[in-house]
Amino acid sequence: MGLIKSVCVYCGSGLGRDPRHEAAALSLGEDLAKNKVGLVYGGGGMGLMGTVAKSVLEHGGHVTGIIPDFLQNREFMLKEAQEHIVTKDMHERKRLMFEKADAFVALPGGIGTLEELVEQLTWAQLGQHKKPIMIANIGGYWEPLLSMLEHMTAHSFIRETLWVPYLIADRIEDVLPELEKAAQDILEAGERPKKTVAGTPLGKM
């Protein structure tokens, strides 16, 4: 990796029912470590959150866990991470996760994961950042959200002047290469990344 030095990963504090999701978290952690890309995440040791972080550590990578004080015990803060940041509330946690990351990846998760992903999409739509945002659509998990975004576009609530920039990958091995490519495109063109699926441009939303 060149431009992408750290990635913020949003994902569930549970494992879910589809074993492909846990496998994806393990693979992403390994890819991050092997490419010397640091992990920034919510600090917990449970579910997919804990899985991706432990995988990074097992493969010699660097982990920054950011967790609000009230969740330290509830989500079993991963003490093995090289860097721990305990915040006073969720707002500070999200701000620091944003500041410390060069890109964002959403693995499968629940309401919290959805909220964090949509917040980054909103900030990007409003021109507050140009960091690449990847939706890891493992096993088609995010299809309902992708359909909703298309629905919003069809009804002109997502307009050409307010398009939502995001990337989609169905395979974990495509995540880091696509993020790096998007970051390079942004650097060269000074633009936000076009919506793509595993490297195939689909155009602006």
Side-chain angles (χ1 to χ4, degrees):
M1 292 294 104
L3 296 173
I4 303 295
K5 303 297 184 185
S6 61
V7 170
C8 177
V9 176
Y10 301 128
C11 56
S13 58
L15 292 174
R17 294 183 177 180
D18 189 334
R20 290 175 294 183
H21 298 162
E22 183 178 8
L26 287 168
S27 295
L28 180 58
E30 181 177 356
D31 285 352
L32 289 169
K34 288 185 175 179
N35 286 281
K36 301 187 185 307
V37 176
L39 169 68
V40 177
Y41 88 117
M46 302 169 57
L48 297 186
M49 289 175 61
T51 299
V52 67
K54 291 172 186 176
S55 180
V56 171
L57 293 171
E58 287 171 5
H59 292 90
H62 187 275
V63 173
T64 298
I66 305 176
I67 192 167
D69 181 66
F70 75 93
L71 284 180
Q72 284 191 77
N73 295 325
R74 181 175 170 181
E75 292 190 349
F76 298 95
M77 183 178 74
L78 188 66
K79 296 180 180 179
E80 294 83 355
Q82 291 94 337
E83 183 178 8
H84 303 99
I85 300 174
V86 178
T87 65
K88 62 181 184 229
D89 55 36
M90 293 290 286
H91 297 292
E92 183 183 12
R93 177 202 216 180
K94 292 194 291 183
R95 176 180 62 80
L96 290 174
M97 290 172 77
F98 169 79
E99 290 176 354
K100 288 182 173 291
D102 297 322
F104 306 93
V105 174
L107 288 174
I111 292 174
T113 303
L114 177 62
E115 186 266 340
E116 290 169 321
L117 168 60
V118 170
E119 183 172 62
Q120 291 305 333
L121 292 173
T122 302
W123 290 356
Q125 183 188 50
L126 297 175
Q128 297 304 294
H129 75 84
K130 295 183 180 181
K131 298 178 182 182
I133 304 167
M134 170 66 74
I135 297 174
N137 191 32
I138 308 303
Y141 181 80
W142 291 111
E143 286 301 323
L145 173 63
L146 298 174
S147 295
M148 189 66 202
L149 292 172
E150 296 293 348
H151 179 71
M152 292 174 178
T153 303
H155 285 265
S156 296
F157 286 106
I158 296 177
R159 302 180 296 281
E160 180 67 19
T161 55
L162 288 174
W163 63 285
V164 182
Y166 59 88
L167 311 165
I168 307 167
D170 296 326
R171 307 183 310 163
I172 284 299
E173 55 263 41
D174 293 326
V175 169
L176 288 182
E178 289 299 317
L179 289 176
E180 185 67 23
K181 181 178 181 298
Q184 188 64 44
D185 289 345
I186 293 168
L187 180 66
E188 293 176 356
E191 297 177 353
R192 290 180 293 184
K194 292 181 173 62
K195 173 183 167 188
T196 68
V197 177
T200 303
L202 297 184
K204 294 181 179 181
M205 295 187 63

